Amino acid sequence: METFEQFYKQHYLSLHRLAQKMLCHDTAHDIVQDVFVDYFEKSKKGIKVDFPKSYLYRSTLNKCIDQQRKNSKFAGDQIPEKVNNSLLEYEKRETRQCISQCMATLGDKDRELTLLYSEGLSYKEISQITGIPFTSIGKTLSRALKKLEKELKVKGYELL
């Protein structure tokens, strides 16, 4: 059995990256901290979580959605920008901003699927997190990516 500290270190970065894709950096850190506090309190009370990784991802997504609703807008425009005048950095920032804007046009489920897929999760893990049947993940994800691709093409970008 791993300690909570090891569990935290193992999952923190991937959850933070997920939250950061949905929200700005400062808020992402707070969200992930809240998720781990909730998980720790559950385990302290003796409540067993069958799929801890799925629980953490689902909780992170839910807290991000709640935060977005509080802000009443998608925070994709709030991507942290490094002060760097190089053309390459500017292009990367512009690309990230365009992707964030296109992601904002997707529905909640499509955005969740796309973000989880971008984090490298398996279809089985995505199914556990989202509650979508395993057999439907491939087709649903494909449709979500096609919607995203269509939005990106409108803005002059293409998925590779």
Side-chain angles (χ1 to χ4, degrees):
M1 172 112 187
E2 63 186 338
T3 66
F4 184 77
E5 183 178 354
Q6 291 169 326
F7 183 73
Y8 177 87
K9 287 179 181 178
Q10 181 182 0
H11 296 288
Y12 177 82
L13 288 177
S14 58
L15 294 174
H16 187 270
R17 224 180 11 256
L18 176 66
Q20 193 172 5
K21 287 178 181 178
M22 293 186 76
L23 305 167
C24 68
H25 179 74
D26 295 334
T27 308
H29 175 74
D30 294 341
I31 296 278
V32 175
Q33 291 298 322
D34 288 346
V35 167
F36 276 107
V37 167
D38 291 347
Y39 181 80
F40 182 75
E41 288 174 355
K42 268 187 186 256
S43 62
K44 205 171 179 184
K45 291 178 184 176
I47 300 171
K48 186 177 184 304
V49 176
D50 291 330
F51 301 102
K53 185 175 179 180
S54 297
Y55 172 83
L56 293 174
Y57 273 90
R58 180 77 257 163
S59 295
T60 301
L61 285 170
N62 287 344
K63 286 187 181 289
C64 287
I65 290 168
D66 290 345
Q67 185 64 40
Q68 287 174 348
R69 287 181 181 145
K70 275 186 198 174
N71 295 341
S72 73
K73 70 173 191 162
F74 181 74
D77 296 336
Q78 300 172 8
I79 294 173
E81 296 185 24
K82 296 178 184 172
V83 180
N84 190 337
N85 292 331
S86 76
L87 182 60
L88 182 59
E89 286 298 316
Y90 174 77
E91 288 175 353
K92 285 181 183 178
R93 250 190 340 266
E94 288 295 311
T95 302
R96 281 194 308 263
Q97 188 173 12
C98 178
I99 291 170
S100 293
Q101 289 171 350
C102 291
M103 290 285 289
T105 66
L106 298 177
D108 286 344
K109 279 291 184 196
D110 289 341
R111 189 168 54 241
E112 287 175 14
L113 282 172
T114 305
L115 288 171
L116 293 171
Y117 179 72
S118 75
E119 285 297 311
L121 296 175
S122 70
Y123 282 11
K124 181 179 179 182
E125 291 171 320
I126 293 172
S127 173
Q128 290 171 346
I129 293 167
T130 61
I132 297 172
F134 175 76
T135 55
S136 301
I137 292 292
K139 190 64 173 173
T140 309
L141 177 60
S142 174
R143 288 179 185 146
L145 290 173
K146 284 190 188 302
K147 290 177 191 175
L148 179 60
E149 183 178 27
K150 184 179 175 183
E151 288 295 322
L152 287 168
K153 280 185 180 180
V154 168
K155 296 195 180 263
Y157 292 89
E158 289 191 35
L159 291 179
L160 298 176

